[in-house]
């Protein structure tokens, strides 16, 4: 895991903020890197040995956020350095990924371990806002029933394929769910607080964000983009969105709406998009476009993987579909590379099923003209967390307040089975 | 000026870093906000009164970076709070903006005051790398001759319309200067160290960056984007580039090449660009495109301002040119708004001459279809620093090391007139 020096930021640091900062640093380190020897923590944080010892003891004794164990294997001479282990069972988040045809829910422990996972299919054709909220609440109740007696629920994170207001999880527009202006954060927050009284979190602990942004967060913290500071994650399903990490931090924009790459106009002579504009990138590279180009009707059960298999078996229409997709991927990915100069472009969602088949063409077409500097070091890679990137990202969203202020937030969380 | 809480970053903060951080905070504050009462500094930084007093005294007494003055007007009861004033004459930067037809150089003092400014036209048709370097050195020598006896030169910042490697100012590609693979940072650094022995800086103090990135930096620190965290600055001349501020920080990208908005493909059926691709945004909205659409030949002396005047006088061809530009501005600016969700899109360079004439059409066309959330709060505004945004940004680049570590860097700088 790479470390950064602190950014000088325009606010004075007071003595009392130091301890919280350093507790946060230590807990975040083991949350992301897993069990870590004190000696390694000393080396990686730049803090001295006795400070690390005191911080770890506080996290362990005051809030049971970590425990310290003797290492399994002694390394080198001298007294073995204790291993600081995140308490996966003690602190858990509920995470949800709301898709156009199913809800996926999970219980994720501190340290990022997925403890259980549930898939709830939506009734065919029913993407009604109230139904989705109700099914999410049912799934949350089932997941919460599995909390152990010492578990504390840090909160709930929710990924949704929508333009989401950053401050309160209000869904402005989710064309592929058919939602407009839906108060998802507030509604789900209220419903979950009522449904899960044992969890004792408040509405503010139910956090909603765009699925591509959460996919990027997950891949950056514990996936293929770990250690990379400049990354574009593409969530490619029926719609296409981008989650962007710039200089190690998520790109949000003023209202939290940044990254709408699917609605970048690349073909003014192209088709009308669900958003109302003509020639949006998602009309050319969305999964429905792939299926139609290959001669299928979206919803007939054909998957992008089948199109790839058909192409490999010699089907001309499937091959042509992949060629067309490659051409438009080259235009759009090329634009994103020129704008963001990332190290990685991660293909997430169903788009990752296509990557292997189209990568070579896309890279060649991107290199055929235009600026080349930004393209020299960029790699196109599939998401490491598979289809679960947004789900893991939702868990990270829920863990964030605890990681920012470990003892402060832990003090507000009683055990759920208490 | 808005303040931010420090970002928790993955590195421990040690006691000894605190003082440097706080000195940096204080100096940066007065550098950007100008003379400021101690009481205001206390309120804005969150540091207590005695800490502010001690920090200001260190900056004043150890390095003469600031001085403290009695306020002109007493505010409220009690002892008047001293005013901390940046020492403009003591610390100066040299700044250059290399254009396709002229070099602009300036001496800028701590606090951002432009102390003198020189324009050196390039010989017609001669944009040769060596000539531009030689003319820049001559201008630098003239500017340096004006340093007062107590002035210390913090370094040199250079803006160039080019794809520039972030680490060493190597120019990868400057299509409108006709340069490729030119070691501008190294060459100019060596030449200036030799030409200005009194300045005693080393090559590393000669910093080169893309002009749009520096325009964005200047508008963000002391222009129209002050207090705005999400901003796109467009440098629109023959070429078009973007400098982007995301979450209060410059977007750089992995190699420092981010923001090449001019080479975003928006019209695959369009013209071939100097970069080799077809349909780049700058082929539609670059100044040459505007002039041609209005029936002029680039280089015939016509300016965008004249096209606007012709259109206002009823010239049909000029009106059509502005309509076409509006259409393509709407596509490209719309894409940038969808991707970055900025509060401001700043029209810099010659593009600012067009803004008033096209703003209404561009805003209407952007709103005619597509996602609207990102567009609700965005404003299109001209650069506040006029054509000098990149020049002021170059000065900020040169001041950055001093602002990061005031006493450390000041200790390495003897007075030039010593």
């Amino acid at each position: 895991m790479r470390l950064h020096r602190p950014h000088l930021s325009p606010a004075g640091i007071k003595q009392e903020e130091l301890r919280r900062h350093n507790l946060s640093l230590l807990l975040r380190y083991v949350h992301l890197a897993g069990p870590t020897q004190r000696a390694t923590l000393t080396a990686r944080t730049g803090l001295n040995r006795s400070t690390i010892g005191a911080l770890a003891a506080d996290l362990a004794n005051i809030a049971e956020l970590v425990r310290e164990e003797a290492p399994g294997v002694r390394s080198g001479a001298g007294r073995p350095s204790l291993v600081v282990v995140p308490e996966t069972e003690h602190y858990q988040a509920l995470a949800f990924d709301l898709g156009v045809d199913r809800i996926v829910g999970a219980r994720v422990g501190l340290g990022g371990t997925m403890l259980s996972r549930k898939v709830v299919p939506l009734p065919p054709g029913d993407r009604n806002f109230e139904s989705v909220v109700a099914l999410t609440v049912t799934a949350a109740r089932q997941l919460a029933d599995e909390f152990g007696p010492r578990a504390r629920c840090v909160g709930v994170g929710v990924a949704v394929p929508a333009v989401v207001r950053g401050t309160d999880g209000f869904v402005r527009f989710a064309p592929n769910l058919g939602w407009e202006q839906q108060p998802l954060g507030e509604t789900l927050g209220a419903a979950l607080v009522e449904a899960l009284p044992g969890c004792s979190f408040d509405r503010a602990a139910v956090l909603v964000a765009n699925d591509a942004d959460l996919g990027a967060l997950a891949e950056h913290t514990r996936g293929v983009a770990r250690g990379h500071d400049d990354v574009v994650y593409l969530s490619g399903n029926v719609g296409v969105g981008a989650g962007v990490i710039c200089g190690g931090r998520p790109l949000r924009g003023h209202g939290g709406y940044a990254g709408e790459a699917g609605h970048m106009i690349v073909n003014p002579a192209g088709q009308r998009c669900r958003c109302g504009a003509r020639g949006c990138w998602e009309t050319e590279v969305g999964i429905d476009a792939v299926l139609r180009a290959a001669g299928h009707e979206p919803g007939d059960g054909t998957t992008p993987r089948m199109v790839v298999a058909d192409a490999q078996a010699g089907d001309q229409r499937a091959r042509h579909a992949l060629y067309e997709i490659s051409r438009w991927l080259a235009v759009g990915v090329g634009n994103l590379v020129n704008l963001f100069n990332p190290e990685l472009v991660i293909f997430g969602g169903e788009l990752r099923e296509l990557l292997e088949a189209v990568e070579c063409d896309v890279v060649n077409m991107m290199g055929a003209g235009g600026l080349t500097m930004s393209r020299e070091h960029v790699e196109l890679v599939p998401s490491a967390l598979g289809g679960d990137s947004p789900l893991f990202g939702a868990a990270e969203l829920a863990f964030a307040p605890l990681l920012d202020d470990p003892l402060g937030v832990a003090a507000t969380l009683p055990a759920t089975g208490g």
Side-chain angles (χ1 to χ4, degrees), chain A:
Chain A
M1 190 159 64
R2 278 164 58 189
L3 292 176
H4 306 263
R5 306 305 300 162
H7 303 293
L8 293 178
S9 68
I13 295 179
K14 289 185 212 158
Q15 193 55 42
E16 64 264 37
E17 292 175 21
L18 266 183
R19 177 164 169 262
R20 189 171 69 209
H21 173 100
N22 289 338
L23 285 166
S24 164
L25 171 63
L26 186 57
L27 185 62
R28 182 169 273 126
Y29 195 98
V30 297
H31 173 65
L32 296 178
T36 308
Q37 285 205 321
R38 278 194 190 179
T40 306
L41 291 168
T42 304
R44 301 312 294 270
T45 61
L47 294 169
N48 66 41
R49 208 171 150 146
S50 63
T51 304
I52 291 290
L55 293 168
D58 282 354
L59 291 175
N61 301 333
I62 298 175
E64 296 187 318
L65 284 155
V66 302
R67 63 180 184 275
E68 297 196 89
E69 290 180 353
V73 181
R74 279 186 66 140
S75 59
R79 203 153 51 103
S81 172
L82 287 174
V83 177
V84 180
V85 182
E87 285 283 16
T88 301
E89 295 283 345
H90 290 183
Y91 290 88
Q92 301 181 23
L94 297 180
F96 295 94
D97 180 15
L98 311 185
V100 297
D101 54 1
R102 71 202 175 5
I103 293 165
V104 185
R107 225 164 22 95
V108 177
L110 187 66
T113 307
M114 194 181 286
L115 300 168
S116 60
R117 183 177 186 279
K118 287 201 188 313
V119 181
V120 183
L122 295 183
D126 184 6
R127 297 163 187 173
N128 184 280
F129 176 72
E130 287 73 23
S131 312
V132 170
V133 168
L135 285 171
T136 306
V137 171
T138 305
R141 217 183 262 123
Q142 291 171 9
L143 289 164
D145 281 345
E146 301 168 2
F147 281 136
R150 300 178 70 188
R152 312 182 196 199
C153 181
V154 302
V156 182
V158 183
V160 60
V163 181
V164 180
R165 189 159 65 203
T167 46
D168 60 356
F170 186 91
V171 168
R172 298 299 306 273
F173 190 36
N176 300 310
L177 285 166
W179 300 355
E180 260 185 88
Q181 313 293 350
Q182 293 288 3
L184 182 61
E186 195 187 317
T187 307
L188 198 54
L192 288 173
V193 165
E194 198 184 311
L196 308 176
C199 289
S200 77
F201 52 70
D202 60 18
R203 279 192 210 180
V206 179
L207 300 167
V208 179
N210 172 270
D211 59 349
D213 289 346
L214 292 178
L217 175 65
E219 293 291 337
H220 185 234
T221 48
R222 50 181 79 254
V224 70
R226 235 171 114 152
H228 295 275
D229 282 345
D230 296 282
V231 178
V232 173
Y233 170 91
L234 293 176
S235 163
N237 295 303
V238 176
V240 174
V244 184
I245 305 289
C246 310
R249 296 197 313 174
L251 175 75
R252 300 189 196 285
H254 180 51
Y257 307 140
E260 288 298 337
H263 302 283
M264 169 168 67
I265 295 176
V266 292
N267 186 14
Q271 309 206 23
R272 185 71 65 184
C273 177
R274 257 171 303 243
C275 80
R278 190 176 286 284
C280 288
W281 193 36
E282 97 179 24
T283 64
E284 305 291 350
V285 300
I287 294 307
D288 285 0
V290 180
L291 297 177
R292 284 204 187 92
H296 303 280
E297 201 46 48
D300 72 357
T302 312
T303 65
R305 195 193 290 259
M306 292 178 197
V307 175
V308 171
D310 288 349
Q312 282 162 349
D315 181 294
Q316 284 305 315
R317 197 141 178 205
R319 291 173 79 158
H320 177 71
L322 293 184
Y323 176 82
E324 277 299 300
I325 290 300
S326 301
R327 208 157 67 83
W328 289 108
L329 280 172
V331 169
V333 171
N335 284 357
L336 296 174
V337 167
N338 278 342
L339 287 168
F340 294 106
N341 182 204
E343 298 170 79
L344 298 178
V345 177
I346 305 171
F347 281 55
E350 296 191 67
L351 210 49
R352 78 184 189 286
E353 308 282 2
L354 296 179
L355 180 60
E356 202 182 327
V358 302
E359 184 179 356
C360 214
D361 279 346
V362 173
V363 170
N364 284 340
M365 291 172 188
M366 270 171 59
L371 299 186
T372 56
M373 308 81 220
S374 288
R375 294 166 195 193
E376 282 164 4
H377 299 292
V378 71
E379 281 184 74
L380 312 187
V381 295
S383 60
L385 303 167
D388 278 341
S389 311
L391 191 63
F392 276 105
E396 291 305 316
L397 192 65
F399 274 116
L402 178 73
L403 298 174
D404 282 346
D405 181 11
L407 298 183
V409 171
T412 66
L413 301 170
T416 55

